[in-house]
Amino acid sequence: MNWQERNAPLVEGLNAYIDRFSAEKPTALSLFKSSDSHQGIFPFAPDSDKGLGMLLHFSALFQEIGEERLSEGLGQLYQEIGDQIFRLNKIPFDILQSTVNAVPAWRQWPLLLKVPGILRSVCDFFFTHGGLRERLSQCNDGEEEVAFLAREIFLMGKTSLHRFKARYFLWLCGLASLSGSLRVPTIMPPLTGGHVRFMSWVGPYKGVSNPPLPQRLEQYHNFLERTVEGGATRAFIPLEAFLNRSGLNSWKCRTLMGNCSSCPLERFCPGKIL
């Protein structure tokens, strides 16, 4: 018997847990105005060239800051400078630094001094490599595209083992194409601390050693592909929330579930006693 067969109740609980997150979307996508909502800030579709450009900005900046604060600040920056956000490599560095420093949501962000360099590098990428829709449509190797993005954009993860930011961008692109009009190359989705907690405290590596870091992304991915209905990509948001601190006395998953007693993973989860 394989792990899934030996742990059928846990597999059932995991899939039921993931189902509870089916309506959850990344905060970055809430910034776009949709046909049935005018609450967003960006007046273009997330799978347009401009929309993908904003998702690349978001992903490149996603470091040492929460998703909500980063999204809020990117919205504030767009409201201040509009479509200049796609031409920031043409703005003098000192002016861009002053503009970034004035974004309310980004105050006290440890990465703030590097933000102008990241934004300019993303804009250099636009000018050098053209529209993102066409680029993605012509890409046949998602893992090579991850490596390419990490090499080409400042602080995108060139020396990182798993290249979280580049993977996160391509994962966001897949969600942005709700109509299926955007072709996005297949990748192994990024890993978060929640993935490691689930795999180590509840999943197949409970009580045994985790795979070495170089092999962890692939082995986690293969496990989730075999175990999760809909595959590893669908598991990203639920596992990112798993025992992820939300305030001082709760977990992100508990907040979204309402309480631990309603969670399909309660009987397997150490978080209920913490």
Side-chain angles (χ1 to χ4, degrees):
M1 295 177 68
N2 61 27
W3 187 93
Q4 288 79 2
E5 293 168 333
R6 294 194 306 273
N7 296 274
L10 175 52
V11 171
E12 182 180 355
L14 173 61
N15 279 289
Y17 169 81
I18 289 171
D19 284 343
R20 297 282 189 90
F21 288 78
S22 59
E24 295 296 321
K25 303 298 179 188
T27 306
L29 294 181
S30 69
L31 293 170
F32 296 89
K33 292 181 179 179
S34 63
S35 58
D36 57 354
S37 172
H38 299 287
Q39 295 180 350
I41 294 172
F42 305 147
F44 34 76
D47 60 353
S48 65
D49 268 327
K50 287 184 178 180
L52 296 172
M54 294 306 300
L55 294 180
L56 187 56
H57 273 314
F58 181 94
S59 302
L61 293 170
F62 198 9
Q63 181 177 339
E64 299 183 61
I65 191 171
E67 188 181 9
E68 291 77 12
R69 270 186 68 202
L70 178 55
S71 296
E72 182 181 0
L74 202 56
Q76 291 167 347
L77 182 61
Y78 183 81
Q79 288 177 315
E80 178 67 23
I81 65 175
D83 280 1
Q84 284 189 80
I85 202 166
F86 304 112
R87 300 184 293 274
L88 295 175
N89 52 343
K90 306 299 182 182
I91 296 176
F93 193 90
D94 57 338
I95 295 176
L96 179 55
Q97 184 73 70
S98 298
T99 303
V100 165
N101 289 347
V103 173
W106 289 350
R107 290 171 185 159
Q108 307 303 313
W109 182 11
L111 199 70
L112 194 60
L113 289 178
K114 296 181 179 179
V115 167
I118 295 172
L119 293 172
R120 286 166 65 98
S121 182
V122 171
C123 292
D124 283 339
F125 187 89
F126 299 153
F127 277 81
T128 302
H129 300 291
L132 288 167
R133 277 188 65 92
E134 182 177 0
R135 177 171 183 82
L136 292 175
S137 71
Q138 295 175 352
C139 177
N140 295 315
D141 188 334
E143 292 300 316
E144 176 54 36
E145 186 68 9
V146 166
F148 183 79
L149 288 164
R151 288 195 305 268
E152 290 290 301
I153 298 173
F154 177 53
L155 287 185
M156 196 70 171
K158 180 173 64 174
T159 61
S160 166
L161 192 60
H162 294 153
R163 295 166 174 155
F164 175 90
K165 291 181 178 182
R167 292 185 186 283
Y168 191 77
F169 167 66
L170 291 175
W171 175 76
L172 283 176
C173 290
L175 294 184
S177 182
L178 298 180
S179 65
S181 64
L182 174 66
R183 181 181 177 277
V184 180
T186 301
I187 59 161
M188 290 184 286
L191 296 183
T192 69
H195 288 73
V196 177
R197 286 187 291 273
F198 174 80
M199 299 291 276
S200 304
W201 299 354
V202 178
Y205 299 104
K206 181 180 179 181
V208 299
S209 297
N210 255 290
L213 280 173
Q215 289 82 47
R216 189 171 297 179
L217 176 67
E218 183 175 1
Q219 292 193 23
Y220 279 22
H221 175 76
N222 290 340
F223 169 82
L224 293 171
E225 282 289 300
R226 292 192 301 268
T227 308
V228 175
E229 297 168 3
T233 297
R234 187 166 172 263
F236 178 82
I237 291 177
L239 290 187
E240 187 276 332
F242 184 73
L243 299 186
N244 189 347
R245 280 289 180 192
S246 176
L248 294 176
N249 299 307
S250 191
W251 311 111
K252 190 173 181 180
C253 51
R254 180 188 291 166
T255 300
L256 292 168
M257 290 283 174
N259 53 67
C260 288
S261 61
S262 66
C263 178
L265 288 176
E266 182 199 17
R267 59 183 284 202
F268 308 103
C269 179
K272 63 182 180 182
I273 62 174
L274 300 177

